[in-house]
Amino acid sequence: MPPPLMTPEELFARFDELGTAHRTYSHPPVFTVAEATALRGSLPGAHCKSLYFKDKKGAFWLAVMLEERRIDLKKLAARLLAPRFSFGGATDLHRLLGVRPGSVTPFALLNDVGHLVTPVLDAAMLQYDLLNYHPLVNDRTTAISAADLLRLIDASGHVPRIVDLADLEREPDLRES
């Protein structure tokens, strides 16, 4: 039986154990980048999004990137030498990472004790001093350093794939303007 899933408070305690400096801001629940942008005000640091995928062969992936990225999933799968991606389902998301849609975060890798999810990190994101993510729930945002993010992922037992995503952006859809 897998261990119980981590709560935000347990996550913060784990940060403290690892010596990870963190600051958390509370806000109404947000489910999209647009909602987060409208509510966050002027929080310092880079704002990021996390996308959960399942590939055609059944492997799971967590792509974490700057929020403004609009990634072409075919190009990303090709870069990672993975079969075609589709967005993962809510049941597997909760089972593997212990979060619900709208709360996907690299911090959830601590819940993936079976190491079934492969993390993929945007290389450009790691150039920022502070990075902002949900702390397992979508009514808060937590800022940590890029170096601490890498230490946290290492502590989870995962090995991230750090990828330059700049050339994987999809063409803008005129309907998005």
Side-chain angles (χ1 to χ4, degrees), residues 65-104:
M65 63 197 72
L66 295 169
E67 72 178 1
E68 63 271 10
R69 294 270 193 228
R70 296 212 178 282
I71 297 301
D72 181 310
L73 298 186
K74 283 177 124 176
K75 290 179 184 177
L76 178 60
R79 172 75 47 87
L80 297 170
L81 302 176
R84 187 188 72 220
F85 283 143
S86 61
F87 286 98
T91 301
D92 284 332
L93 174 65
H94 190 258
R95 178 178 61 86
L96 296 173
L97 294 175
V99 295
R100 303 279 182 210
S103 300
V104 182

Side-chain angles (χ1 to χ4, degrees), residues 11-12 15 20-25 44-46 48 105-107 125 128-133 135 141-153:
L11 173 67
F12 302 143
F15 285 163
T20 298
H22 57 97
R23 181 159 185 191
T24 299
Y25 306 87
C48 305
T105 174
F107 303 152
M125 173 185 75
Y128 286 83
D129 292 332
L130 283 178
L131 301 171
N132 290 287
Y133 307 103
T141 297
T142 297
I144 68 170
S145 73
D148 282 336
L149 173 65
L150 292 173
R151 276 195 291 280
L152 183 74
I153 292 172

